[in-house]
Amino acid sequence: MRIDAVPIGKNPPEDINVIVEVPVGGEPIKYEMDKEQKRLSRQKSFASATYPTYEPHFVTQQELSVNRPDISFEVPSGSTYDTTSINGYPTILISDGGNGLGTNTFTTDYVYILQGLCFVMDGQTLSIDPGVVIKGAESQSVPSMLVVAVGGVIQANGTSTDPIVFTAESDEILPPATANNRRGTYDEITRGLWGGVAILGDALINDSATETALLGDTIDLPNDSRLTFGGGEGIIGNAGVEMSYVSIRHAGEYNGSYGSMSGLTLAGVTNEAIVNHVEVFGSDDDGFEFLGGNVNASQLIVVGASDDGFDTDFGYTGKLQYLFGKAVNGYMGEHDGGIPEDTVHGGVFAYNATFIGDYLDAGVALFRDNARGHYYKSIFTDFNTGIGVEYIDTVNSSYDH
């Protein structure tokens, strides 16, 4: 039994959870749990008159639902919200039939498992309470991923003590994710178990078509119009989009048919969105990707990405502050600009970054393809490779900027 996954009780000290051991032929023992110390303390032995009668019993779904609120989900046509139990915890299995997930609120009363691509569509709002755990199903034909389409809204606001956790289905963490219960099963080198999270907007990007889909080296997914981003000056915008105190773990699944994904992708997102205090832990591609747009973000952490930490491309023109990166295999910052004919050339303007290498393959930052930008008041340490600036005898050289 995972002691750290057992809640202390509904109303301590009056109402607390206890674990009773009933050894065969022995005296029953009462223990109380000290969650802070993660240990059990023996309180007393029961008198023989209080011996419980032990009979094997399998908990039914009806019993699991006791004391669970009767949550009613808006389920668009073709999508499903199926209730089940996994490892004894009430669980909602979610699939998107083409019309998105609807306007709903996820609470800590359930674990939520995304099966394949799941969209928050234009006009829909997904609200996520602090401490909620959302998992991506593994080994899907299309990697499990939460995508907030252009016009969709996500309001994922955890707290410093109750973060929101996105992780893989096999991770044993259960809600609520709290200061005493937020460690998962895996370390930072366990990567690529599911897709990740992407938020899309209609801000200006530097792609020659002015609008593109989440394809290619970034994300190579089926030809789905819901994956389109960019295309203009942010007329629809990303007002209402909020993501704070969120941990995204073991994402970046690579699929031979669909390519690879990053932990958090912000594509064509406008500066109306609020993004801060977000962690990407153990991604099998980049940690964060900023593809065009001008969203600002702060208090970002990347640990254990197999490629780059903070990747900017497609003419990203936002600002980043308070960045921490450690143990990636590519560059902590990889910054691509665009061809000369593009209407906007991006790069990075980053403030107060702390990047820690491993003296092996990781580099501090790379500027290429007309990328430009600055790092201010930052610390880079333990790298064999420093900052690279592309110099080529063409008009695409970042060295000229």
Side-chain angles (χ1 to χ4, degrees):
M1 176 184 294
R2 289 184 56 224
I3 300 302
D4 60 345
V6 180
I8 193 170
K10 292 182 179 180
N11 185 30
E14 288 80 12
D15 184 349
I16 63 173
N17 291 331
V18 299
I19 297 173
V20 178
E21 177 188 10
V22 187
V24 176
E27 295 288 331
I29 305 297
K30 176 186 175 185
Y31 294 88
E32 288 190 355
M33 179 175 64
D34 185 337
K35 246 189 121 178
E36 297 250 341
Q37 300 296 322
K38 295 185 179 179
R39 62 189 176 95
L40 298 177
S41 59
R42 177 173 170 168
Q43 298 300 308
K44 66 177 181 179
S45 298
F46 286 114
S48 59
T50 63
Y51 275 27
T53 300
Y54 174 74
E55 294 181 0
H57 177 66
F58 295 94
V59 180
T60 66
Q61 180 57 43
Q62 181 178 6
E63 290 172 310
L64 280 170
S65 299
V66 173
N67 298 324
R68 301 283 173 185
D70 184 14
I71 298 177
S72 178
F73 292 100
E74 175 190 307
V75 184
S77 175
S79 299
T80 60
Y81 281 71
D82 293 331
T83 304
T84 185
S85 170
I86 296 179
N87 296 328
Y89 204 91
T91 301
I92 306 292
L93 303 177
I94 302 172
S95 63
D96 182 346
N99 294 304
L101 302 186
T103 292
N104 289 300
T105 298
F106 288 0
T107 70
T108 57
D109 296 293
Y110 297 91
V111 172
Y112 302 86
I113 297 183
L114 307 175
Q115 299 177 307
L117 279 176
C118 294
F119 288 85
V120 180
M121 298 293 293
D122 184 9
Q124 298 176 353
T125 298
L126 176 61
S127 301
I128 306 174
D129 286 352
V132 165
V133 175
I134 300 171
K135 300 185 178 184
E138 300 168 35
S139 302
Q140 302 288 293
S141 57
V142 177
S144 299
M145 188 171 185
L146 180 64
V147 181
V148 182
V150 175
V153 172
I154 183 172
Q155 295 184 330
N157 291 311
T159 68
S160 60
T161 56
D162 297 88
I164 293 166
V165 175
F166 289 87
T167 189
E169 182 178 6
S170 59
D171 191 342
E172 295 179 358
I173 185 172
L174 294 173
T178 65
N180 292 324
N181 176 43
R182 54 186 170 190
R183 285 186 175 274
T185 305
Y186 304 117
D187 59 21
E188 73 276 7
I189 63 172
T190 302
R191 310 177 177 110
L193 299 183
W194 66 293
V197 179
I199 302 175
L200 314 183
D202 67 333
L204 185 66
I205 63 175
N206 69 6
D207 186 82
S208 58
T210 71
E211 181 178 79
T212 191
L214 232 42
L215 297 171
D217 291 336
T218 307
I219 300 179
D220 187 3
L221 292 170
N223 185 15
D224 191 325
S225 62
R226 298 178 296 175
L227 291 167
T228 300
F229 68 92
E233 299 290 344
I235 296 173
I236 298 174
N238 295 100
V241 170
E242 299 175 3
M243 180 171 282
S244 62
Y245 291 102
V246 172
S247 178
I248 302 171
R249 306 175 182 181
H250 318 299
E253 179 180 358
Y254 179 82
N255 181 296
S257 299
Y258 305 120
S260 58
M261 284 131 272
S262 298
L264 177 62
T265 301
L266 300 166
V269 176
T270 69
N271 59 15
E272 298 165 299
I274 297 173
V275 180
N276 59 68
H277 296 92
V278 180
E279 166 195 68
V280 175
F281 184 79
S283 171
D284 204 20
D285 196 60
D286 299 329
F288 293 86
E289 278 196 307
F290 297 85
L291 306 180
N294 58 358
V295 61
N296 301 318
S298 64
Q299 286 96 358
L300 307 180
I301 296 174
V302 177
V303 176
S306 69
D307 197 6
D308 305 312
F310 302 90
D311 191 324
T312 64
D313 203 344
F314 285 62
Y316 172 67
T317 57
K319 294 180 174 62
L320 306 175
Q321 188 172 25
Y322 302 123
L323 310 179
F324 178 84
K326 187 177 187 297
V328 305
N329 290 335
Y331 284 92
M332 284 295 180
E334 182 181 274
H335 312 298
D336 294 282
I339 62 176
E341 292 77 14
D342 283 331
T343 55
V344 57
H345 293 128
V348 65
F349 285 85
Y351 306 79
N352 311 105
T354 300
F355 293 161
I356 302 174
D358 55 9
Y359 290 117
L360 297 175
D361 296 329
V364 175
L366 175 63
F367 292 82
R368 63 186 182 186
D369 295 337
N370 284 305
R372 58 202 69 191
H374 301 272
Y375 280 89
Y376 297 94
K377 297 183 178 179
S378 297
I379 298 173
F380 312 130
T381 186
D382 297 355
F383 290 93
N384 278 334
T385 303
I387 296 175
V389 180
E390 183 183 58
Y391 177 80
I392 51 179
D393 191 19
T394 73
V395 290
N396 290 317
S397 179
S398 287
Y399 181 84
D400 295 333
H401 303 292

